Amino acid sequence: MPPKAYTPVEMIERLVGFDTTSRDSNLKLIHFVADYLREHGVASTLIPNADGSKANLYATIGPRGLGGVVLSGHTDVVPVDGQEWHTDPFVVTRRGSRLYGRGTSDMKSFSAVALALLPEFLAARLKRPVHLALSYDEEVGCLGAPGIIEHFVKNGPRPELCIVGEPTEMQVVDAHKSIVAVDTTVTGFEAHSSATHMGVNAIMVAAELMGELARIGDDFKARKVPNAERFDPPYSTISVGMIQGGTARNIIPRQCVFRWDCRMLPGQDDNEVIERLRRFAERDVLPRLRKIHPGADIVIDKRHSVVPLRPDPGSPAEVLAHALAGSNSTHAASYATEAGLFQTAGVPTIICGPGNIREAHKPNEFIELEQVEACVGFMRRLMRRLAE
């Protein structure tokens, strides 16, 4: 029996059909891909996380022992909880020229196109290899990609370049912001809500700290930074995404946790925000709180960070991507990806993939079929280059 073949749309349907929300395992998708590759005679390496609940996949198509090109994509998606979807988010629904489903744009379509074209890559008799790198937990801090990088650094060879397939509408992106994710925990002191002078209200203290973050954000917005106009918005940003605290309306809350991130322009220090908030807490907030209760505290915990992708004009990745995409201009992105990690490891990297980032993380996420076809053309031009 010949190995199973898929059209690009059929492969998108298969990958979207796996619920790989970051909080859950991605192993069903990874094992499906590994089995599919094996049927076509391509071996793959699984690189598990610490508890074995998730894994990266790294596979080489073409001759081994040469650098080649990495096609990097993440397998996880963001939650659909609380979003108003008009269709099942894990079943691709075609309406007109669009495919709806979680991950269609961000970013299973890129990986699906590469996998669907596997028979063509094999038939092209590549002289330089293409490597498929599918990672876990990109959406919560690019946690999987370092394992892939460690794998090829240890085992070689180091790839010549990397293309990250995040949605760019198949435009070449050579720069993106960094991201730092932070948890801030305020510990106060309970009292009856009528006795505000006897308690330390952790939620109201958290609000003070968030107000300081807003002031820091305004400072960043007003700064003049070279080449900032390439980004949208053209400044570093701070956003609070979650807040938890309190037990009842009439109890002064003892604890409040708020989770936030900052996305910094390349060249700006991503620790600046944390240090400024820490100084504000220690100088202006904690002394007042501890006069009421000595156990009051503020803990600012940097959870993870992702380095920026820095422009590298004329790099092998940029030159190749322009040739494959038929473009001569580069763009910048305000989101973060694993691209900066590959670049830091000495692998020239750009971002170029189907779909629009504006559709990412939203209910009723979709990709236009013309974007899928544009990605197919990009991949076919890549295989011809690697066969030369």
Side-chain angles (χ1 to χ4, degrees), residues 68-87:
V69 176
V70 172
L71 301 178
S72 180
H74 63 83
T75 60
D76 61 318
V77 296
V78 297
V80 299
D81 307 36
Q83 294 186 338
E84 188 176 348
W85 280 78
H86 299 154
T87 62

Side-chain angles (χ1 to χ4, degrees), residues 216-343:
I216 297 170
D218 288 341
D219 177 33
F220 284 134
K221 189 174 182 178
R223 289 186 188 181
K224 302 299 181 185
V225 179
N227 299 313
E229 71 281 353
R230 298 190 67 211
F231 295 84
D232 182 20
Y235 45 84
S236 297
T237 60
I238 303 169
S239 176
V240 176
M242 295 179 67
I243 183 168
Q244 299 169 314
T247 52
R249 189 193 307 272
N250 59 355
I251 301 175
I252 291 175
R254 177 180 178 274
Q255 191 170 81
C256 181
V257 179
F258 63 96
R259 295 178 168 86
W260 54 281
D261 69 38
C262 51
R263 296 171 184 263
M264 307 294 288
L265 293 167
Q268 291 195 307
D269 182 4
D270 56 16
N271 289 310
E272 178 183 349
V273 181
I274 295 174
E275 293 309 312
R276 288 178 63 173
L277 184 66
R278 184 172 284 120
R279 285 198 301 270
F280 174 75
E282 293 175 351
R283 181 191 63 209
D284 298 335
V285 182
L286 276 174
R288 183 181 77 249
L289 305 184
R290 286 173 175 166
K291 287 181 180 179
I292 302 171
H293 181 67
D297 201 10
I298 297 169
V299 176
I300 301 169
D301 182 19
K302 180 178 177 179
R303 302 295 295 173
H304 59 257
S305 62
V306 179
V307 296
L309 176 65
R310 301 177 185 275
D312 186 13
S315 76
E318 182 181 306
V319 171
L320 177 63
H322 280 315
L324 300 181
S327 68
N328 56 16
S329 62
T330 54
H331 304 267
S334 291
Y335 53 80
T337 77
E338 69 271 26
L341 298 173
F342 279 95
Q343 185 183 63

Side-chain angles (χ1 to χ4, degrees), residues 136-169:
Y136 63 84
D137 283 359
E138 188 272 351
E139 296 288 5
V140 291
C142 294
L143 304 184
I148 293 174
I149 294 168
E150 181 182 6
H151 172 75
F152 65 65
V153 168
K154 282 185 175 180
N155 300 290
R158 191 183 303 266
E160 298 168 36
L161 59 94
C162 175
I163 299 171
V164 176
E166 288 279 358
T168 67
E169 293 191 311

Side-chain angles (χ1 to χ4, degrees), residues 87-110:
T87 62
D88 185 334
F90 299 107
V91 175
V92 171
T93 301
R94 179 170 178 172
R95 291 183 174 174
S97 63
R98 295 175 175 176
L99 301 177
Y100 289 85
R102 175 59 89 219
T104 50
S105 186
D106 184 20
M107 59 161 289
K108 290 180 175 179
S109 292
F110 175 80

